[in-house]
Amino acid sequence: MNIQIFGKKKCFDTKKAERFFKDRNIKFQYIDIESKGLSRGEFNSVKTAVGGFEKLFNDSSKDQTALLIKYLADDSEKEQKLLDNPKLFKTPIVRNGKQATVGFCPEIWKSWE
């Protein structure tokens, strides 16, 4: 397994995901999404695995950029705005190769073991 956790330092679900893998002695790589973001390739891989851009976007964010993204017509513009503002991603994003989840999903992670 090659687990990557993209998360935020103050996100409780990210901390729960880290604890899930630590408790099972599964090594993982933590990436602070707010400072590092996702590359275009990682974004496309995760988007394909979770079933679309909408599942990655935290539309309940109080950030003004989040409000603007909702009203953009073109999906490619929305994706670019999300990549430019990584704090708008839902977290944690957990990757295992080509597989990925968004949010706290222990039932799926158990199937990866």
Side-chain angles (χ1 to χ4, degrees):
M1 267 196 292
N2 186 17
I3 303 293
Q4 290 180 310
I5 300 175
F6 294 89
K8 300 173 188 168
K9 291 178 185 173
K10 294 184 179 181
C11 173
F12 291 113
D13 283 344
T14 298
K15 292 177 184 181
K16 290 192 310 190
E18 289 179 36
R19 194 173 325 119
F20 176 88
F21 290 105
K22 281 181 186 175
D23 289 349
R24 288 159 179 74
N25 292 322
I26 298 171
K27 291 184 180 184
F28 62 88
Q29 176 186 12
Y30 172 78
I31 298 110
D32 183 13
I33 201 162
E34 290 181 314
S35 64
K36 302 284 185 191
L38 283 173
S39 71
R40 175 58 80 172
E42 289 169 330
F43 176 77
N44 287 334
S45 175
V46 171
K47 180 179 73 169
T48 302
V50 300
F53 154 80
E54 296 80 19
K55 294 184 180 176
L56 295 171
F57 175 60
N58 183 6
D59 57 359
S60 63
S61 174
K62 294 178 181 159
D63 189 289
Q64 293 297 322
T65 309
L67 295 173
L68 296 173
I69 289 175
K70 289 181 191 180
Y71 298 108
L72 290 173
D74 187 24
D75 281 348
S76 64
E77 283 184 56
K78 290 179 182 180
E79 291 177 8
Q80 189 58 49
K81 286 285 187 192
L82 182 59
L83 286 169
D84 293 343
N85 299 287
K87 64 185 172 200
L88 299 177
F89 280 102
K90 284 183 186 175
T91 55
I93 298 171
V94 181
R95 284 183 64 199
N96 179 23
K98 297 272 185 201
Q99 300 172 315
T101 61
V102 178
F104 185 68
C105 305
E107 60 284 345
I108 296 172
W109 301 335
K110 285 179 185 175
S111 70
W112 293 351
E113 294 182 73

